[in-house]
Amino acid sequence: MTENAQQQPPAPSTELPTQYAPADVEGPLYERWVDKGYFAADAKSDKPAYTIVIPPPNVTGSLHLGHAFQHTLMDALTRRKRMQGYESLWLPGMDHAGIATQNKVEQQLAEEGKSRHDLGREAFVERVWQWKEEYGGKILGQMRRLGDGVDWDRERFTMDEGLSKAVLTIFKKLYEDELIYRAERIINWCPRCLTAISDIEVEYQEDDGELVSIKYGEGEETLVVATTRAETMLGDTAVAVHPDDERYRHLIGKRIKLPLTDRSIPVVADTHVDPEFGTGAVKVTPAHDPNDFAIGQRHGLESITVMDERAVITAHGPFQGLDRFEARSAIVAALRSQGRIVAEKRPYVHSVGHCSRCKTTIEPRLSMQWWVKVGPLAKAAGDAVRDGRVKIHPEDMSKRYFDWVDNMHDWCISRQLWWGHRIPVWYGPEGEVVCVGPDEEPPTGEGWKQDTDVLDTWFSSGLWPFSTLGWPEQTEDLRKFYPTDVLLTGHDIIFFWVARMMMFGLYAMDGEVPFHTIALTGLVRDERGKKMSKSFGNVVDPLDWMDKYGSDAVRFTLARGANPGTDVPIGEEWVQASRNFANKIWNATRFALMNGATVEGPLPEASRMSATDRWILSRLNKTVAQVDALYEDYQFAKLSDALFHFAWDEVFDWYVELSKTTFIAGGEAAEVSKRVLGEVLDVTLKLLHPVVPFVTDTLWTTLTGGESVVIAEWPKDSGFRDAAAEREIETLQSVITEVRRFRADQGLQPGQRVPARLTLDGTALAPHEAAIRQLLRLQPEGDSFTATATLPVGGAEVALDLSGTIDVAAERKRLAKDLAAAEKEKAQATAKLGNEAFLAKAPDNVVDKIRGRLAKAEEDIARIQAQLDRLPEA
């Protein structure tokens, strides 16, 4: 199971310091990995390819726990595949993050008393590039701290030359295929950032607002509508009712007076209206609401824009020039003075969209924008999952995916920014419209101008799986590493990024999927399961934890919480526990080296091994098989937990401890166990390496003398099983555990030695007497031995002489007092549960609590009575 059989003996154990210091190890070790080219992938290799492209972090970003979480899992996948003999490519890169990056530079300019308009477009874009070179990409250095095994030679940026060519190529192709068009529609508009923004950039929160009911019309021809946005009534062009609503049938087709204006508006019938909601009548403002826009389209209504790009009222009249919120109050006051306010509700809590960048309230706005016609693209993306070409894991997340792609609206791809991929369309003086591809010259001459908008960031990141490999050129990388194998990302962007990569990949690559598996993770939360937020004060910088506990500890904690598709709670105590695990691995390996554990030579024949050796090798191979199966199912939490318990419980706490007796005795058995221990540690360190890379590489190279565990061969299940040895050691474990429990119950210190007689003849425990005595601190019985307590366990008998170690009379008195208390508790609980009047009145949770007290009391009575029975008479 090891490739080091022909190597020289391992380096002496003195090369390992007495304590593991992550800060001294991690930085230099990572640079060595990179310098050695371990993470570089070769497109000319004849090895099978395994590819993961990183979800590109924003160039403005820094490493947060969500990044650390997903990067740990992606790193584990690619490290394992590399060890399995794959040409493993994990491709890094960053997103230009249009709005976020432009905001950063505009803030810098504001501190200088300038705006982007003072510089002009060309100079401003140059300034953003300078900012990117100086401040951007901070996260890349932090990824090195985490241990990301990415191919740095292939690092990409969504606005580098190659990716920019890909953007222009696919825009032109979509345009010519009539899948991109320009139209006036309702979009999410940020009055602060002064641009359209995508759905993912809108954050919804419950805000305190107001709901006012307003009377429209005069006399018998009146309707009452309710609204949270009274300021938009200045742009109303109709009132809509349901065609079957008898209350308003007489008004359908008539015109009624719009308050505060000199206009009259029609009453239209539309099935979109819910007659059961509110008054059953809704105001229709096509220029400022997406549902109203749709109603307007169906009924040929005029769209009147009453706010400018900064959300200032432009409608003529006394409200012109007011901010939208100022206008809201002023309009309600004016309506109230005319007696048109029928009802007011304050506060009225409702969900309101905010810009994720600047937190400004979003304004739905009618605007001329560029759109992608998603119908055929979305159908192809849905079909690829339905027919099995792409698997979504966990499978129950597929419904969310289908809910999105099957009901997708056309995608607004234009943004009113200067930083980003500028839309490659030129407008001529006679109304000409020309789309220009990457190798084409734009039209020139008087009156020709390029569109001023840039593309949505998600447009370029939607090309990421193939543009990063050289598309539209047919590169060696593209042929070798596309389609990619796994997309691992959070379930929160399944709609916005995952679906768009699916649409563009299938479209650009002639129906070939961009990835075979979509592995969806949850979100990282605090230890109480609460969302991490600056406002909650519970945001954690993973770099702080790395500084305190090491990167391996952070990685292992995150991996142990990674159940597919579910959120991951994490707290500092758990990271401390993972640090303790790293220390345990270190100390156990150091002990093994000091006692001659080796990987030299083949494993001895099973006939030369003790039951303990055969047991641990049997358990080792089962663990290899279990971990492999869990990796293939993306069960990171379960595989991490399996490795933790195998390493800590079985290898370190049992096999290492049981081996001490063998090492002390020496001889052939000791030499066999040294080789078995070396094998077990070799394989265990390899299994742990993808998740905890730093400590395992340091220990593995010291143990084996190999170059690096990064390029070592992944363990294979040899098929070795020994059920008899497993049963034998399980019996041994039960004996030791039972006697330890008894010792603790009697108040004996762990290191306190006790005379004992072991009756093991005829049992499977007979060969283990030395180990039992060593682990339980049991002395030979001696001439004056008196059996004061006898424990029949595992078919054997352990008789202890406690006469010189405890005061039997005092111990009996203490236990009798505890027994009386437990019996009193049982009697009280039994009486309450036997009281019919009490049971009839008490809440279920109270009754359940008392039942729990009764069960606990009965357990205590049985335990204490057993302890008394084992004690000699005083």
Side-chain angles (χ1 to χ4, degrees):
M1 293 176 68
T2 176
E3 72 274 20
N4 297 287
Q6 304 304 317
Q7 295 181 352
Q8 296 300 310
S13 62
T14 52
E15 289 190 7
L16 276 182
T18 56
Q19 291 184 324
Y20 178 49
D24 297 338
V25 170
E26 293 176 352
L29 184 54
Y30 185 83
E31 293 310 315
R32 178 177 179 273
W33 292 337
V34 174
D35 292 343
K36 288 284 188 179
Y38 294 154
F39 307 137
D42 182 2
K44 297 179 180 178
S45 166
D46 57 3
K47 297 178 183 177
Y50 183 81
T51 315
I52 293 181
V53 290
I54 205 165
N58 286 354
V59 67
T60 60
S62 59
L63 190 74
H64 56 64
L65 273 174
H67 290 126
F69 171 53
Q70 292 182 0
H71 287 206
T72 293
L73 306 186
M74 285 184 278
D75 196 32
L77 290 172
T78 50
R79 283 180 183 268
R80 171 174 173 262
K81 285 295 184 180
R82 188 177 294 113
M83 294 172 75
Q84 287 183 314
Y86 286 79
E87 197 62 39
S88 189
L89 170 60
W90 186 18
L91 195 147
M94 293 183 299
D95 192 287
H96 65 279
I99 295 177
T101 310
Q102 178 157 321
N103 279 350
K104 288 277 188 185
V105 179
E106 288 200 75
Q107 288 166 13
Q108 270 191 349
L109 289 173
E111 292 170 4
E112 301 169 14
K114 299 177 182 176
S115 74
R116 60 176 161 137
H117 300 285
D118 294 322
L119 272 66
R121 184 169 192 142
E122 189 174 331
F124 176 78
V125 170
E126 180 58 34
R127 177 73 175 258
V128 181
W129 277 108
Q130 291 172 7
W131 182 92
K132 185 257 181 187
E133 295 304 318
E134 187 172 355
Y135 301 105
K138 176 183 177 183
I139 193 172
L140 298 178
Q142 296 168 338
M143 286 163 56
R144 301 171 92 93
R145 283 286 313 276
L146 187 64
D148 282 8
V150 296
D151 186 346
W152 290 110
D153 292 338
R154 282 184 166 82
E155 180 191 332
R156 303 306 300 267
F157 180 56
T158 48
M159 282 186 63
D160 67 28
E161 184 178 353
L163 268 64
S164 294
K165 182 176 182 180
V167 167
L168 296 177
T169 300
I170 202 162
F171 187 99
K172 173 85 171 180
K173 180 173 170 59
L174 288 163
Y175 182 84
E176 290 181 342
D177 287 346
E178 298 183 350
L179 293 173
I180 280 183
Y181 63 95
R182 193 168 184 242
E184 197 173 38
R185 300 273 181 83
I186 293 284
I187 43 86
N188 301 310
W189 181 265
C190 176
R192 157 62 183 80
C193 298
L194 299 180
T195 181
I197 65 175
S198 67
D199 291 339
I200 197 171
E201 291 161 327
V202 178
E203 293 179 347
Y204 287 89
Q205 66 185 48
E206 297 296 307
D207 285 359
D208 285 347
E210 60 182 8
L211 181 68
V212 293
S213 298
I214 308 167
K215 182 172 68 175
Y216 281 29
E218 302 289 352
E220 293 184 2
E221 296 182 353
T222 61
L223 287 166
V224 175
V225 300
T227 181
T228 58
R229 305 179 68 225
E231 68 278 10
T232 63
M233 68 166 292
L234 300 175
D236 285 0
T237 54
V239 172
V241 298
H242 194 278
D244 299 330
D245 194 331
E246 293 295 337
R247 293 171 294 175
Y248 306 121
R249 187 182 293 277
H250 67 289
L251 292 176
I252 294 172
K254 294 186 177 180
R255 301 184 72 86
I256 60 174
K257 173 75 174 176
L258 178 64
L260 306 183
T261 72
D262 57 1
R263 293 191 291 117
S264 65
I265 56 177
V267 177
V268 299
D270 197 283
T271 55
H272 170 77
V273 179
D274 180 1
E276 303 299 323
F277 183 77
T279 63
V282 297
K283 58 191 288 298
V284 182
T285 320
H288 293 280
D289 182 275
N291 292 323
D292 292 3
F293 179 78
I295 292 174
Q297 292 286 98
R298 287 194 289 272
H299 296 277
L301 301 176
E302 183 183 4
S303 295
I304 301 176
T305 299
V306 296
M307 278 180 253
D308 66 13
E309 61 184 7
R310 297 182 186 276
V312 172
I313 299 298
T314 57
H316 293 297
F319 312 108
Q320 187 174 4
L322 295 179
D323 170 81
R324 55 184 164 162
F325 300 121
E326 296 171 338
R328 181 177 301 171
S329 299
I331 287 170
V332 170
L335 290 167
R336 190 183 299 113
S337 69
Q338 293 184 5
R340 289 191 172 273
I341 299 296
V342 176
E344 299 180 65
K345 184 177 181 180
R346 294 187 186 86
Y348 178 73
V349 179
H350 61 136
S351 182
V352 178
H354 295 259
C355 175
S356 63
R357 305 297 178 191
C358 66
K359 311 308 176 188
T360 301
T361 301
I362 290 301
E363 188 63 45
R365 187 167 190 258
L366 185 62
S367 180
M368 181 67 75
Q369 302 285 345
W370 285 94
W371 304 81
V372 170
K373 187 185 294 183
V374 299
L377 303 175
K379 182 182 184 303
D383 290 345
V385 174
R386 286 189 170 94
D387 64 24
R389 283 175 290 157
V390 177
K391 304 288 187 185
I392 293 180
H393 188 86
E395 191 176 352
D396 58 12
M397 286 283 179
S398 299
K399 183 180 184 301
R400 297 182 65 188
Y401 176 82
F402 292 131
D403 284 346
W404 178 251
V405 297
D406 293 346
N407 300 286
M408 194 181 295
H409 301 296
D410 284 2
W411 169 22
C412 175
I413 56 171
S414 45
R415 299 291 179 267
Q416 290 64 55
L417 304 171
W418 287 355
W419 173 246
H421 296 283
R422 194 166 175 182
I423 288 178
V425 173
W426 270 255
Y427 305 107
E430 303 300 326
E432 303 96 331
V433 179
V434 177
C435 180
V436 178
D439 300 317
E440 300 171 351
E441 291 295 324
T444 57
E446 186 176 349
W448 283 92
K449 292 182 180 179
Q450 185 177 359
D451 196 299
T452 57
D453 289 351
V454 300
L455 287 163
D456 178 11
T457 295
W458 297 101
F459 189 94
S460 51
S461 60
L463 314 180
W464 191 251
F466 53 93
S467 64
T468 52
L469 297 173
W471 188 89
E473 307 302 325
Q474 294 303 307
T475 63
E476 285 186 330
D477 279 357
L478 196 62
R479 286 191 289 271
K480 177 74 174 178
F481 298 113
Y482 189 91
T484 67
D485 287 87
V486 181
L487 173 73
L488 190 145
T489 191
H491 63 65
D492 56 323
I493 58 173
I494 187 172
F495 316 127
F496 309 107
W497 188 46
V498 177
R500 285 165 185 173
M501 284 190 291
M502 286 284 284
M503 292 192 302
F504 280 170
L506 290 160
Y507 174 74
M509 300 300 292
D510 299 322
E512 201 165 19
V513 297
F515 22 74
H516 296 301
T517 300
I518 301 168
L520 296 170
T521 69
L523 308 179
V524 179
R525 296 181 177 272
D526 71 12
E527 63 269 30
R528 297 178 182 84
K530 194 173 184 180
K531 180 181 178 181
M532 287 193 175
S533 166
K534 289 180 181 178
S535 61
F536 296 153
N538 62 350
V539 173
V540 174
D541 184 344
L543 296 169
D544 292 342
W545 281 353
M546 290 183 209
D547 290 341
K548 291 174 72 174
Y549 307 112
S551 297
D552 283 336
V554 174
R555 290 170 62 113
F556 194 66
T557 305
L558 290 164
R560 284 194 81 182
N563 289 300
T566 59
D567 290 347
V568 183
I570 184 171
E572 188 165 3
E573 287 184 7
W574 305 337
V575 185
Q576 291 173 345
S578 295
R579 185 269 317 272
N580 295 343
F581 180 51
N583 289 341
K584 185 80 169 180
I585 302 169
W586 183 273
N587 293 333
T589 306
R590 189 168 176 272
F591 164 83
L593 289 167
M594 291 172 64
N595 284 276
T598 180
V599 297
E600 186 180 9
L603 276 173
E605 294 293 326
S607 60
R608 295 175 57 202
M609 296 181 190
S610 67
T612 308
D613 293 332
R614 297 195 308 275
W615 161 72
I616 196 63
L617 288 176
S618 183
R619 289 294 307 125
L620 177 69
N621 279 283
K622 283 185 176 179
T623 301
V624 170
Q626 181 185 15
V627 168
D628 274 336
L630 291 170
Y631 260 116
E632 295 305 315
D633 199 33
Y634 304 98
Q635 297 281 358
F636 297 99
K638 289 181 179 179
L639 72 88
S640 299
D641 211 48
L643 284 169
F644 173 85
H645 287 293
F646 174 72
W648 191 307
D649 299 346
E650 298 186 88
V651 179
F652 306 148
D653 278 358
W654 283 107
Y655 184 69
V656 167
E657 290 300 314
L658 290 169
S659 297
K660 287 180 180 178
T661 308
T662 308
F663 293 154
I664 291 169
E668 183 185 0
E671 295 306 310
V672 170
S673 289
K674 289 175 184 178
R675 179 64 188 88
V676 171
L677 179 55
E679 180 76 9
V680 170
L681 286 174
D682 173 23
V683 173
T684 301
L685 291 170
K686 288 175 181 175
L687 291 174
L688 284 166
H689 172 72
V691 180
V692 284
F694 293 105
V695 68
T696 50
D697 195 40
T698 305
L699 294 174
W700 187 86
T701 52
T702 306
L703 171 71
T704 67
E707 181 182 338
S708 173
V709 73
V710 177
I711 54 171
E713 184 179 345
W714 182 254
K716 294 183 176 67
D717 174 11
S718 72
F720 179 83
R721 301 287 191 275
D722 194 320
E726 290 196 41
R727 287 194 299 270
E728 183 173 325
I729 301 306
E730 285 169 7
T731 302
L732 174 62
Q733 290 171 327
S734 67
V735 169
I736 292 172
T737 300
E738 182 65 23
V739 177
R740 279 177 173 167
R741 184 180 296 117
F742 176 75
R743 286 175 56 108
D745 288 343
Q746 306 311 313
L748 298 178
Q749 295 300 313
Q752 190 172 353
R753 293 197 168 273
V754 178
R757 177 190 298 140
L758 305 184
T759 306
L760 308 176
D761 292 344
T763 74
L765 299 174
H768 302 287
E769 179 169 355
I772 292 171
R773 288 189 177 277
Q774 172 69 22
L775 293 177
L776 292 173
R777 305 294 189 267
L778 303 179
Q779 298 176 182
E781 55 193 274
D783 296 336
S784 60
F785 178 83
T786 302
T788 59
T790 302
L791 286 76
V793 284
E797 188 175 270
V798 179
L800 304 174
D801 183 352
L802 304 178
S803 58
T805 57
I806 63 170
D807 183 335
V808 175
E811 184 64 13
R812 277 192 165 277
K813 185 176 180 181
R814 181 185 71 81
L815 290 172
K817 183 179 178 181
D818 291 347
L819 182 61
E823 287 174 337
K824 181 179 179 182
E825 174 73 3
K826 177 184 176 181
Q828 290 176 340
T830 301
K832 282 194 174 183
L833 293 173
N835 185 334
E836 293 296 333
F838 168 77
L839 293 176
K841 295 179 181 178
D844 290 346
N845 64 319
V846 173
V847 175
D848 288 343
K849 189 174 181 180
I850 293 171
R851 286 184 178 131
R853 284 170 50 193
L854 175 61
K856 175 68 166 52
E858 289 173 339
E859 288 175 9
D860 289 345
I861 290 168
R863 175 179 55 80
I864 297 167
Q865 190 62 60
Q867 289 176 244
L868 281 167
D869 292 344
R870 288 169 180 157
L871 283 174
E873 294 299 323

